[in-house]
Amino acid sequence: MRHLTLLQIDPTAAVAPTADLVAWSRLGATHSQADLVSALAKRSLVELWATIRPAEDVTLYRAEMTAARGDAAAAWQQRRREWLTANDACRRDILARLGAEGPLPSRLLPDTCAVPWRSTGWTNDQNVIRLLDIMSVLGEVAVAGRLGRERLWDLAERVYPDDPPVPLEEALRRRDARRLTALGIARAKTTKVPIEPYDVGAAGEPAVVEGVKGTWRVDPVYLDGHFAGRTALLSPFDRLVHDRRRLLELFGFDYGLEMYKPAAKRRWGYYALPILHGDRLIGKLDATADRKAGVLRVAAIHEDEPFDGATAAAVDEEIAGLATWLGLEVRHDREAA
């Protein structure tokens, strides 16, 4: 976790919960879902803004939380600030209830909002959930645990370590440096995205990638030339493949998550897993875990380049390892594509 910096949380579990699938790709059969649950329960890991992170990293975000409360916080949208101000009484009611009874799920917290939250999406009228999300950005509340998929909320001071915050500019530099260590190579500046940035500022050293325009930043620790590759099945939320533009520029790998597309328009499948072999991304595995039937259904193995015998055997071994980790049997629904 200290190396990766984060595991993203996503409700999709077509193969396994997102965070666990990323950890399995990195650790293999030694990863136990119970270990992740235990680390969260012990607060050595914490949930922060739809991610799981080492608890000590919260100090790198506390100054940003404080800054978000001020008028100069550039990230604040005016509409959200006005809505929060209009519902300050509800915010205070929530803080009081959590202070007296927390941790609690959102459904047990009072909705005394004077102005309802309006949205064209799923958050429309979900006042308490929206308010809690905003309050978590401000560092007032935090996810203290879960009941199944339901988040339990508490006062942030009872969840996060009581360590002094790192000043904002230094925190941003350290976050850039840690992100570069996790990625190896990244752009200094790129398109802004939610959850976690793709860029790394001035971290590392400048580098040029042959055949790719522009300058990159590289962590010099990776320049010693030592590399030992292996075969791995990756989660669509693994940081190696999460930045699709970087993926195409560095690996020439065309990939996208297709679960929101109509079935007829999917090229690789509902939740296709990128296949890493050595230092190349060579294909996608279209597979789903059918827990009722006790099988890992393999619908297709899409080969971006033809597999030789050794590569095919390595991929099959990794699929078998995934099935064993899940406690399932492999079932091929049709021949490889």
Side-chain angles (χ1 to χ4, degrees):
M1 283 300 304
R2 289 188 178 98
H3 174 75
L4 289 178
T5 72
L6 67 90
L7 293 174
Q8 187 168 331
I9 299 171
D10 186 88
T12 307
V15 175
T18 296
D20 285 297
L21 187 56
V22 173
W24 172 81
S25 293
R26 304 298 178 122
L27 300 172
T30 59
H31 171 62
S32 167
Q33 293 174 316
D35 290 340
L36 185 56
V37 172
S38 175
L40 286 164
K42 294 176 181 176
R43 303 272 169 80
S44 58
L45 300 178
V46 296
E47 284 196 30
L48 178 69
W49 307 341
T51 65
I52 298 171
R53 298 178 185 268
E56 65 264 27
D57 283 6
V58 174
T59 62
L60 301 178
Y61 293 85
R62 297 303 289 266
E64 182 177 343
M65 294 173 183
T66 300
R69 302 171 194 172
D71 292 336
W76 264 138
Q77 296 179 10
Q78 187 63 28
R79 177 182 172 231
R80 293 182 180 182
R81 183 183 296 280
E82 291 175 351
W83 185 77
L84 182 68
T85 301
N87 292 302
D88 189 62
C90 184
R91 167 183 159 273
R92 293 178 184 277
D93 288 343
I94 288 173
L95 291 173
R97 178 69 66 84
L98 290 177
E101 304 177 27
L104 293 171
S106 60
R107 57 185 167 81
L108 295 183
L109 294 172
D111 184 355
T112 57
C113 284
V115 179
W117 176 261
R118 297 302 182 199
S119 168
T120 57
W122 71 272
T123 61
N124 188 53
D125 269 342
Q126 295 196 14
N127 302 327
V128 172
I129 291 175
R130 195 71 195 118
L131 199 55
L132 286 167
D133 285 339
I134 294 174
M135 292 167 68
S136 71
V137 172
L138 300 177
E140 295 181 328
V141 301
V143 177
R146 287 187 177 246
L147 287 174
R149 291 187 177 183
E150 191 174 29
R151 292 178 293 182
L152 297 176
W153 294 90
D154 204 348
L155 301 179
E157 64 198 50
R158 297 203 293 230
V159 177
Y160 298 148
D162 187 23
D163 297 323
V166 177
L168 183 56
E169 290 190 8
E170 180 185 349
L172 293 174
R173 286 195 299 269
R174 286 169 58 176
R175 282 157 55 178
D176 285 345
R178 296 202 61 228
R179 190 179 308 116
L180 181 58
T181 296
L183 293 173
I185 184 171
R187 293 286 190 182
K189 186 176 182 180
T190 187
T191 305
K192 187 176 181 180
V193 294
I195 309 296
E196 178 78 358
Y198 292 150
D199 49 37
V200 296
E205 298 180 2
V208 174
V209 178
E210 185 177 356
V212 180
K213 293 181 179 179
T215 302
W216 296 74
R217 305 297 297 187
V218 65
D219 188 329
V221 74
Y222 297 114
L223 297 178
D224 62 4
H226 176 72
F227 173 76
R230 65 182 180 91
T231 303
L233 306 175
L234 304 178
S235 162
F237 293 91
D238 193 293
R239 305 313 291 180
L240 177 63
V241 300
H242 200 271
D243 182 350
R244 312 302 192 213
R245 180 183 174 186
R246 172 180 178 270
L247 193 60
L248 191 60
E249 288 181 318
L250 293 182
F251 293 92
F253 190 67
D254 185 16
Y255 176 73
L257 191 55
E258 299 182 306
M259 61 185 179
Y260 299 113
K261 290 184 178 181
K265 294 186 177 181
R266 294 174 189 151
R267 291 181 288 173
W268 308 301
Y270 176 81
Y271 198 76
L273 308 184
I275 302 173
L276 175 70
H277 183 67
D279 61 359
R280 294 173 296 128
L281 287 155
I282 60 171
K284 297 94 176 173
L285 170 68
D286 181 7
T288 55
D290 186 343
R291 292 169 179 81
K292 289 185 177 180
V295 297
L296 176 67
R297 297 189 181 278
V298 177
I301 302 173
H302 300 278
E303 301 179 13
D304 283 24
E305 53 187 79
F307 294 0
D308 60 23
T311 300
V315 172
D316 286 342
E317 183 178 354
E318 194 70 5
I319 293 171
L322 174 59
T324 298
W325 176 68
L326 293 170
L328 305 174
E329 298 289 333
V330 178
R331 179 176 297 175
H332 290 265
D333 290 347
R334 57 187 175 89
E335 292 300 317

